[in-house]
Amino acid sequence: MPESLLQLSETFGPVFTIYLSNTPVVVLIGYDCVKEALLNNGEVFSMRGPSEVGDLLFRDYGLILTNGERWRQLRRFSLSALITFGMGAKSIEERIQEEVHYLTEELEKTKGNPFNPAHILTSAICNVLCSVVFGERFDYQDVKFRTFFCNPACDDNEISAEK
């Protein structure tokens, strides 16, 4: 397809429209053309095209498929939240390294015997997220922690037996 678009640009110039299904798509060919579109006319080219699947699933909510003012507000909020989580606290890399230490300890407890790693790996990932959001991590066997996530490796009987 890229070669076909290059051939079309030789006939129609660096900016042209093609139709994919019934949707018009603007094609930009070349560094100068793309630079001008994105830098000089960023507002015009920043919008995402309509997506029926996106509209069905997200109804114009979320950060990925939104446009215009809603996108700007969500982006501003998301960036400020991420900056807030990161200021004066451990970096995400440090949190991951800390969790790797606990994960390694948990893996060593298996003493080389076969086991289903789903619970341990899910717990490690959730602990990194909990560390970022709540500022603390949890023991892998903590009943309250295990109720935070739906883990197929932990059936209801196993959790209720620990209570």
Side-chain angles (χ1 to χ4, degrees):
M1 185 159 180
E3 291 83 17
S4 300
L5 294 175
L6 285 172
Q7 287 176 350
L8 287 171
S9 73
E10 291 171 5
T11 304
F12 299 107
V15 180
F16 57 94
T17 302
I18 60 171
Y19 283 82
L20 298 177
S21 189
N22 289 328
T23 306
V25 176
V26 176
V27 178
L28 306 171
I29 303 287
Y31 174 80
D32 292 333
C33 182
V34 172
K35 180 180 174 185
E36 181 181 342
L38 297 179
L39 292 181
N40 299 342
N41 299 301
E43 282 294 316
V44 177
F45 284 93
S46 67
M47 301 284 284
R48 292 171 177 88
S51 166
E52 292 179 22
V53 173
D55 292 343
L56 179 67
L57 294 175
F58 300 107
R59 293 187 175 82
D60 200 29
Y61 289 97
L63 192 56
I64 297 171
L65 295 174
T66 56
N67 284 308
E69 186 57 30
R70 179 183 296 235
W71 176 82
R72 278 186 209 84
Q73 289 175 352
L74 284 170
R75 182 175 182 273
R76 194 176 305 122
F77 170 77
S78 299
L79 288 174
S80 69
L82 289 172
I83 289 169
T84 300
F85 283 132
M87 294 186 104
K90 291 187 268 185
S91 73
I92 291 178
E93 181 181 352
E94 289 172 310
R95 294 170 196 269
I96 293 170
Q97 288 175 350
E98 177 185 18
E99 195 58 40
V100 166
H101 171 74
Y102 290 104
L103 177 61
T104 304
E105 285 180 357
E106 201 68 25
L107 291 173
E108 287 173 352
K109 290 179 185 177
T110 66
K111 297 180 180 166
N113 295 321
F115 71 101
N116 182 351
H119 168 65
I120 295 173
L121 295 175
T122 303
S123 297
I125 294 166
C126 288
N127 254 330
V128 171
L129 296 174
C130 285
S131 177
V132 170
V133 175
F134 304 128
E136 66 176 293
R137 67 167 307 280
F138 298 88
D139 185 79
Y140 291 166
Q141 303 309 320
D142 186 297
V143 175
K144 289 180 183 177
F145 173 62
R146 291 175 72 169
T147 60
F148 284 157
F149 56 90
C150 177
N151 186 346
C154 304
D155 61 287
D156 293 332
N157 296 334
E158 184 181 341
I159 292 174
S160 60
E162 292 178 3
K163 289 181 183 177

